[in-house]
Amino acid sequence: MRDSAPDIRLERAGVAFDGQTLFRGLDLVLEGGRWTCLLGPSGVGKSTLLRLVADLVPGAPDGRVTAGDGGPVAGRVAFMAQQDLLLPWLDARGNVLLGQRLRGEKPDTARAETLLADLGLAQATQLRPAAMSGGMRQRVALARTLMEDRPIVLMDEPFAAVDAVTRLRLQALAAERLAGRTVLLVTHDPLEALRLGHVVHVMTGRPARLSDPIRPPGTPLRPVDDPALLALQGELLRRLAEDAE
Amino acid sequence: MGRGLVTAIGLILLWEAATHLLGLPPYILPAPSQVATALWLRGEVLAHHALITATEIAIGLVVGVALGTGTALLVVRSPLARRWLMPVVIASQAIPVFALAPLLVLWFGYGLASKIVMAALVIYFPVAAAFFDGLRTTPPAWIELARTMGASDGAILWRLRLPAALPALAQGLRIAAAVAPIGAVIGEWVGSGAGLGFLMLHANGRMQIDLLFAALVVLAAMAITLYYGLDAILRRLVQWQPETLGRSR
């Protein structure tokens, strides 16, 4: 059974590559059991910040990442990237069971099949990635993330590579299935951030800074045609455009 | 494949016509029909020597592939081995392996052993290089995903890097299959008492050029069967390999 979703705190986080400071002295709190969206232009350092939480930044980055319940962060994180990262030699079921196989655990085939069926992939359990559409592949990646059943989920532009309609469907699926977990979603799409996030931070500049938290009205999953949401989207786009100038 | 067969038959017919029209003596260039007759009449002798060459190739392949894959795994797992061993392995390729054949016969004798070592040596490097290349070019994002899943280095090697490197290894094995018969025959030319290479030299010395050609035909048939047989097995085993690799030949 999954343990409760803790707050995650980043304190004085800093990363530099090749002498260039991406960001330094950043503080960020990911509220437990809620979605925090990190919005910003490409290359600003959003993914690096997410990778810092996942302990995937090489070298010795500055700052501390701690969990609010005092437990470790490592081992409680599931990761979903823009590329589906499905292994081409495994079928959908094999890909969903990857984590258990890598850890040498007994693969829970029944649960993997249930998860795939819940995501509309009951007929695709034995398909290899090459035989799947982009949307199907990303759903398998979501099933693999859910199979890990971790309280903290880090998502790096997971829906950026699919068409608009598929993206909306995947957002809905993810919002439903990952409710109650501490989620950090990195995106460059203001509408996606506003639709899914309890809290949205805008990351801009070099070295990058984080905006004060924006709390869109209502609860996720917000309708895409909500006028308040669209107005906020316009404002965020203006802010991003100003930063680009 | 079909077109290649038609071309081959066309060339054989042209060869047959040329020997008759030009009146070439059989000790210079026998007609294909004479080679076919030698194949038929000396079938038992050819089979005996072919079996020996095939044994050298098969054992050489097993030894060369085992050593090549073992080296690749070792240098991937151990940075120490990578630093100390890889430069020597790469530099060793500057030595023309075939020039070592006389030494190998001196050290390992006229029997099977020197030919097996020769075949293994020519197979070793393409297999080691291709597999090592495949193992170290696993997409980093896959490895990062595995790390967030709590995978050990061993599990990542066994379940991620190794299968991901199989298409590259398959390319190395295809090269190995193409060069293994060359290694064995060169070894036989330098010093042996049996095998198709020995038979060819022997027939040449006795002006039995039809038998020399017959041995060459058997050797070519063996090499082609080995290459395409291995290719078919590899295609079946590595069905998921990217299209670009599948079509690269």
Side-chain angles (χ1 to χ4, degrees):
Chain A
M1 183 66 192
R2 174 166 58 90
D3 51 8
S4 63
D7 286 350
I8 299 293
R9 287 175 184 281
L10 272 92
E11 292 168 273
R12 298 184 304 284
V15 173
F17 286 128
D18 300 326
Q20 269 216 321
T21 304
L22 215 49
F23 51 80
R24 64 171 168 250
L26 279 190
D27 293 319
L28 174 67
V29 177
L30 311 178
E31 295 173 13
R34 293 162 84 87
W35 283 60
T36 303
C37 295
L38 205 53
L39 177 69
S42 297
V44 76
K46 311 183 293 290
S47 297
T48 306
L49 194 63
L50 176 138
R51 291 157 59 82
L52 198 64
V53 180
D55 195 23
L56 291 175
V57 176
D62 294 335
R64 276 184 356 133
V65 182
T66 52
D69 59 4
V73 176
R76 291 200 289 174
V77 169
F79 178 58
M80 191 173 167
Q82 179 177 349
Q83 305 87 10
D84 51 68
L85 303 183
L86 299 184
L87 302 183
W89 58 89
L90 296 178
D91 59 16
R93 189 173 52 194
N95 270 291
V96 173
L97 291 168
L98 179 68
Q100 291 186 329
R101 290 229 163 90
L102 281 171
R103 291 186 293 274
E105 297 166 2
K106 188 173 178 285
D108 189 346
T109 311
R111 186 158 161 260
E113 286 180 352
T114 307
L115 273 172
L116 283 166
D118 287 351
L119 297 177
L121 293 165
Q123 306 301 318
T125 54
Q126 291 181 46
L127 285 186
R128 286 208 176 118
M132 297 180 204
S133 67
M136 286 169 83
R137 292 166 65 115
Q138 213 54 351
R139 273 186 285 160
V140 176
L142 180 60
R144 182 186 59 202
T145 310
L146 293 169
M147 188 75 188
E148 290 300 286
D149 200 18
R150 304 286 176 91
I152 306 157
V153 180
L154 307 174
M155 306 174 94
D156 189 1
E157 303 192 27
F159 315 124
V162 294
D163 65 81
V165 175
T166 308
R167 189 180 313 148
L168 289 180
R169 285 198 191 125
L170 283 169
Q171 286 170 355
L173 268 175
E176 179 196 331
R177 299 289 167 161
L178 297 174
R181 295 169 208 250
T182 307
V183 177
L184 174 61
L185 172 75
V186 158
T187 177
H188 56 243
D189 177 1
L191 190 61
E192 182 167 275
L194 293 168
R195 191 166 185 238
L196 295 173
H198 292 92
V199 180
V200 178
H201 289 275
V202 183
M203 192 171 182
T204 50
R206 174 69 53 92
R209 302 170 309 275
L210 283 176
S211 72
D212 289 335
I214 299 162
R215 296 180 188 275
T219 51
L221 177 79
R222 301 174 185 89
V224 280
D225 51 358
D226 179 342
L229 207 67
L230 293 173
L232 254 177
Q233 182 195 11
E235 192 189 315
L236 287 178
L237 279 171
R238 253 196 314 278
R239 198 190 290 193
L240 290 171
E242 279 167 15
D243 180 69
E245 285 164 9
Chain B
M1 188 78 179
R3 280 186 211 132
L5 202 64
V6 170
T7 309
I9 290 169
L11 286 173
I12 289 168
L13 290 176
L14 199 68
W15 172 10
E16 181 80 34
T19 51
H20 290 295
L21 289 173
L22 301 173
L24 290 171
Y27 57 85
I28 296 292
L29 182 68
S33 54
Q34 290 169 315
V35 176
T37 309
L39 266 173
W40 177 253
L41 294 178
R42 310 293 298 274
E44 210 168 310
V45 175
L46 285 162
H48 167 70
H49 289 282
L51 187 66
I52 289 164
T53 303
T55 308
E56 293 162 0
I57 294 171
I59 301 177
L61 262 175
V62 171
V63 174
V65 169
L67 288 175
T69 50
T71 304
L73 284 169
L74 179 71
V75 293
V76 151
R77 279 308 294 265
S78 156
L80 194 71
R82 186 153 60 238
R83 278 197 299 277
W84 287 92
L85 199 60
M86 261 335 247
V88 180
V89 170
I90 291 166
S92 72
Q93 289 312 296
I95 303 167
V97 182
F98 301 125
L100 294 177
L103 271 180
L104 296 179
V105 172
L106 182 70
W107 292 339
F108 297 98
Y110 278 75
L112 278 181
S114 56
K115 287 79 199 171
I116 290 167
V117 173
M118 187 74 203
L121 272 180
V122 296
I123 290 160
Y124 169 78
F125 188 73
V127 170
F131 195 35
F132 175 63
D133 206 39
L135 285 169
R136 72 189 177 88
T137 52
T138 315
W142 288 355
I143 295 176
E144 288 181 349
L145 176 72
R147 293 225 181 282
T148 65
M149 289 172 157
S152 64
D153 284 347
I156 288 175
L157 179 66
W158 180 244
R159 293 203 174 269
L160 262 183
R161 300 176 79 172
L162 214 137
L166 285 183
L169 175 63
Q171 293 298 73
L173 291 176
R174 287 186 181 101
I175 297 170
V179 297
I182 303 172
V185 168
I186 299 252
E188 289 173 356
W189 280 351
V190 173
S192 65
L196 287 173
F198 164 79
L199 185 63
M200 286 161 81
L201 277 189
H202 190 73
N204 196 29
R206 292 166 174 252
M207 303 290 269
Q208 295 173 335
I209 308 303
D210 53 347
L211 181 61
L212 187 152
F213 268 92
L216 198 59
V217 168
V218 174
L219 184 65
M222 273 167 51
I224 290 170
T225 308
L226 175 65
Y227 183 86
Y228 282 103
L230 190 72
D231 185 56
I233 293 168
L234 291 173
R235 276 175 188 278
R236 190 168 276 266
L237 287 177
V238 196
Q239 277 174 354
W240 48 268
Q241 69 177 297
E243 282 293 296
T244 45
L245 275 178
R247 287 180 187 164
S248 65
R249 284 185 307 102

